Amino acid sequence: MTILDIVGLRISFGESSRPAVAGINLKVGPGERVGIIGESGSGKSVTAMSVLRLNNERIMRYGENSKVLYRGDDLLSANEKTLRGIRGSEISMVFQDPMSVLNPVFKVGAQVLDVLRTHGAQSKTEAKAQVISSFGEVGIHDPERVFGQYPHELSGGMRQRVMIAMAIATGPNLLIADEATSALDVTVQAAVLNTLDRLAESREMSVLMITHDMGVVARFCDRVYVMRGGEVVESGDVEKVLTSPSHEYTRSLLAAVPRLPRD
Ligand SMILES: Nc1ncnc2c1ncn2[C@@H]1O[C@H](COP(=O)(O)OP(=O)(O)O)[C@@H](O)[C@H]1O
Ligand SMILES: [Mg+2]
């Protein structure tokens, strides 16, 4: 069964005649890693945010026939209670800037622990053990020490790992990563991608990877959607799209691929 099925998604801001997203279709299967690639402003983030209904609905609207189906249920017509049940526990999101998620005045361990405890009814001791273990799982080598540190005491890569630990703490079926590795230098980026790779595999988690970087798509994704100006101009298996792109725009993205170390 398809985990995520976006059907005819249309997103318009204000009275602008040109929609930010002009009726796109996109599917993510169980355990599948799907990429969305496109230049800045092509509609990747507003598409990603629509899945958790995180767009500011006072300034934008979804098209009448748009659907975002999560396991068959339309999230665009779901009520707040249903959405709360899905956010974080079924579908999680990680962003480019971990500081948009981490509170600078609290130790990171306590913050991840809070997320766990609002979603599950375990004791504090059990929750702490689980946080430590998830820190290990995301490649934090001294999880006990990091547990007691403040965000500013950690490197960018470490903060990114903490945010990923927070996102996967509740065992989501789908992880949406929006430019999650874009701000990291190239070796840290490769290490974080390896970690996501391992996590997706061991947890049989689907990943929707949003990036402007074809190197990330090549390294990580099974399938890719190429977006431009709010439209999907090309989609397919990564190998196929990379070796024989059918759209001129995809070819131009490919021409700019940086080299990523694989391990
Ligand atoms: N807050 C906003 N107000 C008005 N328009 C917006 C807003 N956010 C996004 N848009 C419109 O949606 C388009 C796509 O934005 P976005 O999804 O953030 O692009 P990206 O592909 O870089 O993630 C933008 O080019 C802009 O026209
Ligand atoms: Mg974006």
Side-chain angles (χ1 to χ4, degrees), residues 203-230:
R203 294 176 166 238
E204 295 173 32
M205 182 172 70
S206 306
V207 182
L208 182 59
M209 174 70 73
I210 287 130
T211 180
H212 64 277
D213 182 345
M214 198 59 106
V216 171
V217 169
R219 163 69 187 81
F220 190 82
C221 300
D222 305 318
R223 253 176 350 101
V224 64
Y225 292 81
V226 182
M227 283 189 76
R228 185 183 205 188

Side-chain angles (χ1 to χ4, degrees), residues 176-197:
I176 302 175
D178 188 353
E179 304 279 9
T181 60
S182 303
L184 305 172
D185 73 55
V186 90
T187 40
V188 179
Q189 173 174 21
V192 171
L193 284 177
N194 283 338
T195 298
L196 283 174
D197 222 357

Side-chain angles (χ1 to χ4, degrees), residues 40-41 43-46 178-179 210:
S40 177
K44 306 181 299 295
S45 291
V46 293
D178 188 353
E179 304 279 9
I210 287 130

Side-chain angles (χ1 to χ4, degrees), residues 12-230:
S12 317
F13 283 88
E15 295 312 307
S16 156
S17 55
R18 204 180 126 84
V21 176
I24 69 163
N25 298 303
L26 180 153
K27 279 184 205 289
V28 181
E32 199 180 22
R33 296 102 180 276
V34 174
I36 304 181
I37 187 166
E39 67 202 355
S40 177
S42 55
K44 306 181 299 295
S45 291
V46 293
T47 297
M49 305 262 270
S50 73
V51 178
L52 285 172
R53 294 275 299 277
L54 293 174
N55 286 310
N56 180 352
E57 294 180 16
R58 284 188 298 271
I59 61 167
M60 54 68 69
R61 68 201 137 76
Y62 295 108
E64 258 172 54
N65 302 315
S66 302
K67 286 189 179 12
V68 174
L69 304 169
Y70 173 69
R71 300 186 144 191
D73 294 324
D74 185 15
L75 300 179
L76 295 187
S77 55
N79 59 29
E80 194 49 42
K81 182 163 175 279
T82 307
L83 292 172
R84 269 202 306 273
I86 285 176
R87 284 184 194 129
S89 37
E90 303 271 333
I91 305 174
S92 285
M93 206 163 165
V94 287
F95 305 91
Q96 178 162 0
D97 176 16
M99 293 311 284
S100 63
V101 176
L102 295 171
N103 187 324
V105 305
F106 295 112
K107 293 175 178 169
V108 295
Q111 297 188 53
V112 180
L113 199 132
D114 268 358
V115 170
L116 261 183
R117 296 197 81 202
T118 43
H119 284 92
Q122 9 153 236
S123 72
K124 202 167 175 179
T125 321
E126 284 169 332
K128 180 170 180 185
Q130 200 180 325
V131 173
I132 300 282
S133 128
S134 72
F135 277 7
E137 217 183 330
V138 299
I140 296 173
H141 296 304
D142 44 0
E144 296 274 357
R145 193 168 71 90
V146 169
F147 188 93
Q149 289 187 304
Y150 291 95
H152 73 262
E153 298 180 285
L154 303 173
S155 68
M158 268 314 150
R159 284 202 285 259
Q160 208 65 14
R161 289 177 189 280
V162 168
M163 179 170 57
I164 294 167
M166 196 181 251
I168 60 153
T170 51
N173 291 315
L174 172 64
L175 180 71
I176 302 175
D178 188 353
E179 304 279 9
T181 60
S182 303
L184 305 172
D185 73 55
V186 90
T187 40
V188 179
Q189 173 174 21
V192 171
L193 284 177
N194 283 338
T195 298
L196 283 174
D197 222 357
R198 215 167 14 77
L199 283 172
E201 182 92 33
S202 64
R203 294 176 166 238
E204 295 173 32
M205 182 172 70
S206 306
V207 182
L208 182 59
M209 174 70 73
I210 287 130
T211 180
H212 64 277
D213 182 345
M214 198 59 106
V216 171
V217 169
R219 163 69 187 81
F220 190 82
C221 300
D222 305 318
R223 253 176 350 101
V224 64
Y225 292 81
V226 182
M227 283 189 76
R228 185 183 205 188

